[in-house]
Amino acid sequence: MAPNPGLKHLSNALATPDQLSNSSSSIDGVPSDLETSIRCAGVQLTQTAGILLHLSQDIIAQAVVIFTRFWLGADGGSLRIYSAKDVSAAALYLTAKLSFQPTSPRSVLNVYTLLLSPGASPLWFVNPRGAPKEPPSPDTYVLSEGGYQSARLVLLRIESVILRTLGFDTHVALPHTIALTYLQTLGATRPAVARRVVEHLNGALLSPQLLYVTHQPNALAVAAIYLAAREEGVKLVDGEWWEVFDVDREELGFLVVGMKSTEGFMRAEAERWKNKTIPMVVDEVEAELERRRMMEEGE
């Protein structure tokens, strides 16, 4: 039976097992742990840039999903060809352009110049020393006119690369609104529960299991509700209520474990890269690969 066209906007095209296990980066020799770290940093970069650009969380989350999809599979982008920072900026610019909150290339590039400045950035993986206590010199984060023109060409080129790589499919269904509807259906209307649900859904964008490209929005919503209700001590309806929302126990269990593990994963990443920067451009990736090669060979 053909899917109901009216429900198409509530679901996403999911990644295949082959796409998850054989990325273009891994084929090009990028270790899985390094790829995971860069991808996670790219998500944080996208999220922070979206906040500074005053974009809604829906737009930011959609940009994160597009950023994540770009690296999937043998036909996806490779970290040895495309810089994570450029893909992040282009994904955010593209998503905003398709929304009710378009933003200009100049605004996007100014924000990214600040966030990627080693002396001015508040991001731990760009500036391990932490956000500067005193206002940094504008020279460290202001984009010159010549720099802007060059960066704009890169932004627009990577935008077109993303579109081609994704087959021009930019549709992203998010679980946030679905989750709030489910909460009303279940009679769980406490603000604290709704707040925790949203926090879990936003945190899942950082998941190393790539939950947003492996599971449909309804399943993500159910898992976030299950977790939030337990944390807030709220009893939901008796029985296996998640089955009403087309989620089985096995899928629910996997998603709950995945969402709960994200915080620990982020702590481990911060400790692993302590006092070091995560490579966000191709040259830095190559330098990290060379550093690892030399360590393995004892040079």
Side-chain angles (χ1 to χ4, degrees), residues 237-252:
V237 296
D238 292 329
E240 298 185 336
W241 57 268
W242 47 86
E243 293 185 350
V244 175
F245 302 117
D246 199 25
V247 179
D248 62 36
R249 180 181 289 275
E250 182 179 0
E251 183 176 25
L252 174 61

Side-chain angles (χ1 to χ4, degrees), residues 145-172:
E145 185 59 28
Y148 164 69
Q149 294 299 336
S150 297
R152 180 177 177 276
L153 292 177
V154 173
L155 179 72
L156 299 181
R157 179 175 65 84
I158 299 300
E159 178 192 20
S160 67
V161 170
I162 291 174
L163 287 170
R164 290 197 305 272
T165 301
L166 300 184
F168 292 86
D169 182 5
T170 59
H171 168 73
V172 178

Side-chain angles (χ1 to χ4, degrees), residues 219-230:
L220 293 168
V222 166
I225 291 171
Y226 181 91
L227 265 177
R230 292 189 63 180

Side-chain angles (χ1 to χ4, degrees), residues 147-269:
Y148 164 69
Q149 294 299 336
S150 297
R152 180 177 177 276
L153 292 177
V154 173
L155 179 72
L156 299 181
R157 179 175 65 84
I158 299 300
E159 178 192 20
S160 67
V161 170
I162 291 174
L163 287 170
R164 290 197 305 272
T165 301
L166 300 184
F168 292 86
D169 182 5
T170 59
H171 168 73
V172 178
L174 296 173
H176 299 67
T177 301
I178 297 173
L180 297 179
T181 301
Y182 287 178
L183 282 173
Q184 291 179 333
T185 302
L186 293 166
T189 56
R190 280 176 48 181
V193 176
R195 184 168 55 252
R196 287 298 292 153
V197 166
V198 172
E199 288 172 356
H200 282 304
L201 292 176
N202 289 339
L205 290 164
L206 293 160
S207 164
Q209 297 95 341
L210 308 182
L211 299 181
Y212 270 75
V213 297
T214 57
H215 294 269
Q216 294 293 1
N218 67 300
L220 293 168
V222 166
I225 291 171
Y226 181 91
L227 265 177
R230 292 189 63 180
E231 291 167 350
E232 295 298 325
V234 173
K235 188 178 186 306
L236 301 175
V237 296
D238 292 329
E240 298 185 336
W241 57 268
W242 47 86
E243 293 185 350
V244 175
F245 302 117
D246 199 25
V247 179
D248 62 36
R249 180 181 289 275
E250 182 179 0
E251 183 176 25
L252 174 61
F254 178 86
L255 285 170
V256 166
V257 171
M259 288 183 178
K260 288 179 65 176
S261 69
T262 300
E263 184 178 351
F265 164 74
M266 291 302 300
R267 284 199 301 267
E269 281 292 288

